Amino acid sequence: MTKKIAAFILALCVALSLSTTFNTYADNGNISDQDYARQLMQIGVFKGTDRGFELDRAPTRLEGLIMLIRLLGKTEEANQATWQASGFNDVPEWARTTVNYARAVGLTNGISNTKFGASLVLSYQDYATFLLRALQFDAQSSWQTAPQDLIRLTNVESDDVPDGQFLRGDVARLSYIILLSKNSSGEQLLNKLVRENAIDKKAADAMIRLQLPDQPEISKDAQPIKQNSNDKTSQTVNKKSENTTTKKSDNDFFNKDTQTKSPQKNNSNSLEAKLFDLVNAERLKHDLQPLKHANAETTSYAAVRANEIGKKFSHIRPNGENSLSFFNNIECGENIASGFSTAEEVLAAWLKSPGHRANILNPDFHYIAIGVESKKWVQLFYKPAQ
């Protein structure tokens, strides 16, 4: 891919809570940088000019610095008029307060004592450095290694980076992916900005409540989460499921010793078995341990979920419960999809979505259950209770 990611983030899983990771819908492709720019505009992270988004124009150093400040959640702080003058004489009047802030807190030293280089072209290497700084990976990266580190430390993949001139469209695309990436503390950046009130929860929700019609869909997934919230509408829950399934206690039901036999179908040609093998093949490419089959009860629940998403394509079950309320106080996640005919197609689409990919390649997950029914696909991941 160049200049676009084949997975389109379309909708949020549920009403947002401070303890959750943002979840995503994605389609099977056809997202443009214009789409990313529009989504980021919803939360005030990316803005256009009087000529529109100008996605085919090279960004300037000043524009890159402003994006960094927005991704750090420091826009309001930067707009205060109390910062010492930067001493740069090439900054436009409208941006002087912002640049004064950036120099005062050490975000920039300019290109000389009197020049910031506001109108100079921003390079991809510079912006990769900014993005890693937004994720607080300063100690694990440098300007010299930033392009490689961006792929190593975040959800950005090699296909996501520009293959030619670095443009504002690339800024929009990469910034969106970074918002769904985890920072050095293990917290998703978008979640952090909402928690710190730098981005309004409703605005973040609206940002990804877009849907393309008549497309195969990869539903909103939950990135690695630990269930510790009492918010029923959240992907993170601390409430036993009230469905008819009878479960053992956490330490019994999710103990490794109960999971040694595979309850998946033995038919090697089954879609579930095929997807299981493809997932583990992908994990092995990234030097990750293969996932084990979940126990029979979790596998049965995955089949139930595949049926349910045919009725309601959501991480909220038709009875109003959160889909992950099946699990109790363990790290878990769910990927769902609709409209894909083969295991290869659905996995390829999931892997192109940063959130879904994070589930599949989560080194903390040990087990997977897969359900498939009438082109409805479900993956349930979890880590056993300690």
Side-chain angles (χ1 to χ4, degrees):
M1 289 178 296
T2 59
K3 298 191 178 178
K4 68 178 184 178
I5 297 177
F8 185 15
I9 309 305
L10 293 170
L12 193 62
C13 171
V14 291
L16 307 176
S17 77
L18 295 184
S19 61
T20 66
T21 299
F22 283 73
N23 306 300
T24 59
Y25 259 129
D27 78 350
N28 195 28
N30 303 318
I31 183 170
S32 68
D33 292 337
Q34 184 83 7
D35 294 318
Y36 281 113
R38 287 171 178 161
Q39 290 175 298
L40 293 177
M41 184 177 67
Q42 298 272 3
I43 57 172
V45 169
F46 192 89
K47 299 179 181 179
T49 70
D50 56 357
R51 298 183 181 89
F53 287 135
E54 295 190 276
L55 300 180
D56 293 329
R57 170 174 67 76
T60 65
R61 275 173 49 86
L62 178 56
E63 290 169 338
L65 178 64
I66 291 172
M67 285 295 295
L68 170 60
I69 291 172
R70 290 171 182 165
L71 291 171
L72 288 170
K74 300 298 183 182
T75 300
E76 184 175 346
E77 184 177 338
N79 286 337
Q80 297 175 8
T82 58
W83 302 104
Q84 181 179 351
S86 66
F88 300 138
N89 58 22
D90 62 341
V91 177
E93 178 66 31
W94 62 267
R96 285 180 185 173
T97 300
T98 299
V99 175
N100 289 345
Y101 163 81
R103 187 164 201 186
V105 300
L107 292 181
T108 183
N109 291 318
I111 59 175
S112 72
N113 289 334
T114 60
K115 300 291 184 184
F116 169 66
S119 61
L120 295 180
V121 170
L122 179 75
S123 70
Y124 168 58
Q125 189 153 3
D126 288 336
Y127 198 61
T129 304
F130 285 172
L131 293 176
L132 290 165
R133 184 174 295 181
L135 292 173
Q136 301 171 321
F137 282 123
D138 308 55
Q140 302 178 42
S141 182
S142 67
W143 181 85
Q144 288 80 5
T145 62
Q148 296 79 21
D149 295 336
L150 196 66
I151 296 173
R152 177 173 63 89
L153 296 170
T154 77
N155 290 346
V156 173
E157 303 174 40
S158 58
D159 286 345
D160 301 326
V161 304
D163 57 354
Q165 184 182 13
F166 185 56
L167 303 174
R168 281 171 56 89
D170 300 313
V171 170
R173 180 179 65 258
L174 293 171
S175 299
Y176 192 96
I177 298 172
I178 290 302
L179 281 166
L180 295 180
S181 298
K182 290 186 174 183
N183 62 20
S184 62
S185 299
E187 182 177 13
Q188 188 187 67
L189 180 57
L190 182 58
N191 188 75
K192 174 179 179 290
L193 294 175
V194 169
R195 177 176 57 78
E196 294 177 347
N197 296 317
I199 293 177
D200 180 74
K201 287 196 294 183
K202 290 183 179 179
D205 186 15
M207 167 186 124
I208 49 180
R209 282 196 182 278
L210 303 171
Q211 187 166 350
L212 296 179
D214 303 322
Q215 294 285 339
E217 296 174 327
I218 302 175
S219 175
K220 41 214 169 180
D221 64 28
Q223 291 195 32
I225 59 174
K226 186 168 289 186
Q227 297 180 322
N228 56 12
S229 168
N230 292 318
D231 180 4
K232 184 178 180 181
T233 63
S234 164
Q235 270 299 98
T236 304
V237 291
N238 188 24
K239 180 177 181 296
K240 289 186 178 180
S241 172
E242 297 177 355
N243 61 23
T244 57
T245 302
T246 301
K247 298 187 293 182
K248 300 178 182 179
S249 66
D250 293 346
N251 290 333
D252 185 10
F253 184 67
F254 296 108
N255 187 282
K256 290 182 180 180
D257 293 339
T258 69
Q259 323 254 337
T260 54
K261 294 183 179 180
S262 167
Q264 274 322 134
K265 296 178 180 178
N266 293 323
N267 180 3
S268 61
N269 293 321
S270 75
L271 294 173
E272 293 91 341
K274 181 64 174 179
L275 182 56
F276 178 85
D277 291 340
L278 289 173
V279 166
N280 278 334
E282 187 66 27
R283 287 175 66 90
L284 288 174
K285 292 178 186 177
H286 296 269
D287 297 321
L288 297 173
Q289 290 295 316
L291 295 171
K292 300 177 183 178
H293 289 293
N295 60 25
E297 193 164 6
T298 307
T299 301
S300 294
Y301 179 60
V304 169
R305 288 290 298 134
N307 177 268
E308 289 180 343
I309 64 173
K311 304 171 184 176
K312 181 180 180 180
F313 191 62
S314 172
H315 291 286
I316 300 300
R317 304 182 66 189
N319 65 2
E321 294 178 352
N322 186 284
S323 62
L324 294 182
S325 63
F326 174 86
F327 300 96
N328 289 298
N329 299 309
I330 62 170
E331 189 171 353
C332 56
E334 178 183 71
N335 288 349
I336 65 177
S338 176
F340 296 92
S341 299
T342 68
E344 290 85 355
E345 289 175 353
V346 70
L347 182 64
W350 271 329
L351 289 173
K352 292 168 185 174
S353 165
H356 300 83
R357 181 183 178 88
N359 262 352
I360 293 167
L361 299 181
N362 187 336
D364 292 331
F365 287 148
H366 295 188
Y367 297 99
I368 184 173
I370 297 170
V372 184
E373 181 176 323
S374 301
K375 296 186 179 181
K376 305 297 188 292
W377 302 77
V378 173
Q379 292 177 315
L380 294 171
F381 306 87
Y382 63 92
K383 177 180 179 180
Q386 299 301 314

